[in-house]
Amino acid sequence: MSLRIWIAAGTTEGRLLAEELADENVELAVTVATEYGASLIMDKPNVSVFDKRLDDRGMAEFIDEFRPDLAIDATHPYAAMVTETMCRVCEKKNIVYKRLLRPPTDEDCLRFSSVEEAAAWLDKKEGIIFLTTGSKDLHKFATIRNYEERLVVRILPVRESLDKALDNGYVPSRIIAMQGPFSVDLNMAMFKEFQSAWVVTKNSGSIGGFSQKLEAARAAGAKLIVIERPEDAGSSYEEIRSFVKSQTEA
């Protein structure tokens, strides 16, 4: 009988892991939060994709239906609530749980422990602010003085993200709806186009395009503002890949 694996994706490495594991003797169920995320997962006979946000009850029902032998949490490093919920439900259901970690980066930047702290600091500064942190925290950055004129936001090209930006008063001409990853040159062109003084990002590691943003910000004459990730514990991509291999060969 093949190993049944649930991958909660939502990151590049989550999709890459699903692609690799699909070639093994496994049955994969990949959950993502949006229809757009589902469209990025490869179509293979042993891979099922579900595009729905899962709360405690939803995760429990999903486990009861799919009955995985292993659950891999490959959600975004900043989706702390999703990780906490998945870990708790898997423990309750007696499912082996593994957290896939994205390695952080250590470049010299201005660092803040929360969105609120960064927004409060930027409120006292001058200049255009280019946000690359997605749509989730747009309401928190809307507390910045003259944010309608000062902020440029780059979000995913999906209805939910655009609605959040517009509902929070962001100006359409200062909303960029595009899917990354972005090259250094493309990042730099965007930063320069809006004469950005500050570029705000999360410490998403090299796979999340952090180094490209850093290099582009420097070339554009902007300073990179980094929202640090919450403390996390788990396994590297290679460790999880090796663990799955050991289970399929057992």
Side-chain angles (χ1 to χ4, degrees):
M1 181 180 294
S2 61
L3 192 70
R4 298 170 69 87
I5 302 177
W6 167 27
I7 300 180
T11 57
T12 300
E13 57 268 40
R15 294 193 296 272
L16 291 175
L17 183 64
E19 289 178 8
E20 279 202 54
L21 296 185
D23 294 328
E24 301 289 345
N25 181 30
V26 300
E27 183 177 348
L28 292 181
V30 182
T31 57
V32 293
T34 65
E35 183 179 351
Y36 178 76
S39 70
L40 301 177
I41 307 298
M42 89 303 288
D43 182 17
K44 288 196 174 184
N46 61 331
V47 180
S48 301
V49 184
F50 304 88
D51 59 327
K52 183 180 181 181
R53 295 184 186 277
L54 299 175
D55 55 12
D56 290 66
R57 181 177 178 179
M59 287 187 186
E61 291 177 347
F62 177 81
I63 288 175
D64 288 341
E65 181 177 347
F66 181 64
R67 296 187 174 279
D69 302 298
L70 168 66
I72 301 175
D73 179 3
T75 57
H76 198 277
Y78 292 82
M81 186 171 295
V82 177
T83 291
E84 180 184 339
T85 301
M86 186 173 177
C87 182
R88 181 175 62 251
V89 173
C90 285
E91 182 178 9
K92 184 177 180 180
K93 293 288 185 177
N94 199 30
I95 303 298
V96 178
Y97 168 89
K98 294 287 185 180
R99 171 65 172 148
L100 174 60
L101 290 183
R102 174 182 286 182
T105 50
D106 296 313
E107 285 87 349
D108 180 27
C109 307
L110 290 174
R111 299 177 180 274
F112 296 89
S113 60
S114 68
V115 170
E116 292 85 353
E117 184 182 358
W121 188 87
L122 286 166
D123 180 61
K124 299 179 175 64
K125 302 298 178 180
E126 300 295 333
I128 301 300
I129 303 164
F130 196 109
L131 294 184
T132 68
T133 52
S135 62
K136 179 182 177 182
D137 297 311
L138 287 179
H139 62 292
K140 297 178 181 178
F141 286 109
T143 60
I144 294 174
R145 171 178 46 87
N146 298 328
Y147 78 96
E148 302 95 331
E149 302 172 4
R150 296 183 59 204
L151 269 66
V152 178
V153 299
R154 191 167 72 192
I155 57 177
L156 287 174
V158 296
R159 173 63 63 183
E160 181 182 6
S161 297
L162 183 57
D163 285 345
K164 283 183 180 179
L166 295 174
D167 290 346
N168 279 284
Y170 288 89
V171 181
S173 61
R174 305 177 84 77
I175 299 173
I176 301 172
M178 292 179 66
Q179 165 70 32
F182 301 96
S183 67
V184 173
D185 289 341
L186 185 52
N187 271 320
M188 182 174 62
M190 292 184 191
F191 301 161
K192 282 187 173 182
E193 175 66 23
F194 290 95
Q195 300 180 325
S196 308
W198 315 97
V199 175
V200 184
T201 185
K202 293 179 179 178
N203 191 352
S204 53
S206 58
I207 200 167
F210 183 91
S211 59
Q212 289 88 340
K213 293 176 191 176
L214 176 63
E215 185 177 342
R218 286 172 174 166
K223 188 69 176 179
L224 199 67
I225 305 295
V226 181
I227 312 297
E228 286 293 359
R229 65 178 68 189
E231 291 187 9
D232 207 349
S235 305
S236 69
Y237 187 99
E238 292 74 18
E239 289 171 336
I240 288 183
R241 186 71 184 82
S242 295
F243 177 79
V244 172
K245 187 176 180 61
S246 69
Q247 296 302 301
T248 57
E249 294 178 346

